[in-house]
RNA sequence: GCCGGGGUGGGGUAGCAUGGUUAUCCUAUGGGACUGUGGAUCCCAUGACUCGGGUUCAAAUCUCGGCCCCGGCCCCA
């Protein structure tokens, strides 16, 4: 016996049935927003990840040397691959490009609630547009997606900010070590106020600066309103440009009727160094789970990869947290098998079974029948376990008059019918699930 | 890598504090009976103390270590 690798999952047919429904909802919504599906290899050159990442990230790669002596890694995220494709094809693509993908990703991390070593992640990105409408489109798609899955504004909160806002603000305070400060701000929710102050103090900020930072971070709330206030309180060329673009995003989201989902939160910074503008995060309102989405604008990644300047905005959504949240709300689909027709037999009726099953399958029904020569009772039991909607009973005795029995397994109603009748017009007597 | 809580048939469990007959119950799976209606029922069978060391006359039970699972930290691209 072999054990499943830590942090990985097996999906049995009934579990897979539920996942398929969720994934198809996701795909449908995203495609309604005009995104096209892409895919890239699960393996890439190790360097694709080592170039822009720190040592800690590299430690979490599933990496190995191939037979040609190349260092290879399983992809831990999709963005580098997509940007690689984009850079190599940029001359032949017409921009903006709206792409999505639901890759399987691998990260060698310690599994926790909502975090696994192998998982799926929906990625959507818009490349080529710097316009605030692109940012809005991405955020709207995230919101619509959650609505279509069955969530509403009482379940989730989308917090939006812009990294440049915080940076410009820190500059006005004379603070330049963004990297350290952002890191601490990112932790603020998890630690006490004293620890927060202490950590900032440790990197040589004074009380006055710390107080101002706290006041600034607390200016969260309704997106439009908060931004209006910001623009009153913070003048200056750099900062007003950022505020202007946030205002556009806010107004646009408002026009789409999504204002209830959105709030402004200047403490959202999303990781480090990666993002260059708008950033957003989606959480459950109770904060029971880790972030469901994270995304934002990353305008200079293509250049980092040796291409031309291609502005980009997008997000990633992992399937693990999504499943936890949907289960908590009771909207994860039922894990049950689905079959349209099961044919039960009594005696030697092989010929008729072959004929009927073929006709039904040709008409698009999902059909199965007994392969074990079981008695009728056990066949019915088995049909129920397969989730069959309808049951056909073909028995030697009734067949002498050309009859078979047809039973609706959901209502329990059954009737006798001519076999020839079912064969000539199956859709009249049987229904397909879905 | 660090910290905490756990591992009893395929799944879910009782037993463990206070060591002592054949390890409980539900479910699942397989077979059989009811001679074509039973999505049943009844009968039979299958099947477990995570692994290794220690204490003891005796360990599922106490103890140490490994492995694995769950949760948290770190990190979260």
């Amino acid at each position: 016996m072999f054990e499943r690798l830590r942090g990985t999952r097996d999906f049995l047919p009934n579990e897979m049935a539920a996942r398929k429904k969720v994934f198809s909802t996701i795909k449908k919504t995203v495609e309604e927003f005009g995104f096209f599906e892409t895919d890239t290899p699960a393996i890439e050159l190790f360097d694709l990840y080592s170039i822009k990442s720190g040592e800690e990230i590299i430690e979490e790669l599933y990496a190995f040397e191939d037979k040609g002596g190349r260092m290879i890694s399983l992809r831990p995220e999709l963005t580098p691959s997509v940007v690689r494709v984009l850079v190599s094809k940029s001359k032949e693509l017409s921009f903006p490009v709206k792409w999505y993908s639901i890759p399987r990703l691998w990260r060698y991390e310690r599994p926790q609630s909502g975090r696994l070593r192998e998982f799926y992640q929906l990625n959507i990105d818009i490349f080529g547009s710097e316009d605030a409408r692109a940012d809005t489109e991405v955020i709207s798609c995230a919101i619509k997606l959650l609505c279509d899955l069955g969530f509403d504004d009482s379940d989730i909160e989308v917090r939006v900010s812009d990294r440049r806002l915080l940076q410009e603000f820190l500059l006005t305070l004379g603070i330049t070590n963004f990297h350290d400060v952002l890191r601490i701000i990112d932790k603020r929710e998890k630690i006490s106020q004293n620890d927060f102050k202490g950590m900032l103090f440790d990197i040589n900020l004074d009380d006055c600066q710390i107080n101002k930072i706290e006041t600034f971070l607390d200016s969260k709330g309704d997106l439009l309103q908060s931004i209006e206030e910001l623009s009153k309180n913070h003048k200056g060329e750099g900062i007003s440009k950022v505020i202007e673009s946030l205002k556009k995003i806010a107004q646009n989201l408002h026009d789409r009727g999504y204002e209830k989902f959105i709030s402004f939160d200047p403490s959202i910074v999303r990781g480090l160094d990666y993002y260059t503008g708008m950033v957003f995060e989606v959480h459950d309102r109770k904060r029971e789970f880790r972030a469901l989405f994270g995304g934002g604008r990353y305008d200079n990644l293509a250049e980092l990869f040796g291409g031309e300047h291609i502005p980009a905005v997008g997000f990633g959504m992992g399937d693990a947290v999504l499943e936890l949240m949907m289960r908590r709300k009771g909207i994860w689909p039922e894990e049950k098998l689905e079959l349209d027709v099961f044919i039960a037999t009594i005696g030697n009726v092989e010929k008729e079974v072959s004929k009927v099953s073929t006709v039904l399958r040709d008409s698009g029904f999902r059909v199965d029948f007994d392969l074990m020569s079981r008695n009728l009772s056990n066949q019915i039991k088995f049909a129920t376990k397969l989730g069959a909607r309808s049951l056909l009973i073909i028995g030697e005795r009734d067949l002498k008059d050309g009859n078979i029995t047809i039973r609706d397994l959901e209502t329990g109603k059954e009737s006798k019918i001519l076999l020839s009748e079912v064969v000539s017009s199956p859709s009249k007597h049987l229904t397909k699930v879905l």
Side-chain angles (χ1 to χ4, degrees), chain A residues 165 168-169 172 234-244:
Chain A
L165 199 60
E168 293 288 340
F169 173 73
T172 64
H234 300 276
K235 308 284 181 192
E237 209 187 315
I239 212 160
S240 31
K241 209 178 123 194
V242 177
I243 289 174
E244 206 45 49

Side-chain angles (χ1 to χ4, degrees), chain A residues 330-394:
Chain A
I331 54 176
W332 186 254
E334 203 183 338
E335 295 182 331
K336 79 181 215 291
L337 301 180
E338 278 174 4
L339 187 72
D340 296 318
V341 181
F342 188 89
I343 304 171
T345 59
I346 304 153
N348 183 10
V349 293
E350 247 178 70
K351 254 193 186 134
E352 285 73 16
V353 170
S354 301
K355 203 158 145 198
V356 177
S357 60
T358 302
V359 167
L360 292 180
R361 285 167 175 169
D362 286 349
S363 310
F365 289 94
R366 292 172 292 188
V367 181
D368 203 1
F369 51 81
D370 175 64
L371 300 174
M372 306 285 278
S373 305
R374 282 197 260 242
N375 64 36
L376 182 59
S377 168
N378 287 333
Q379 289 185 58
I380 296 172
K381 201 171 163 187
F382 187 65
T384 310
K385 282 186 183 159
L386 294 185
R389 171 76 176 270
S390 306
L391 177 74
L392 296 185
I393 302 174
I394 304 183

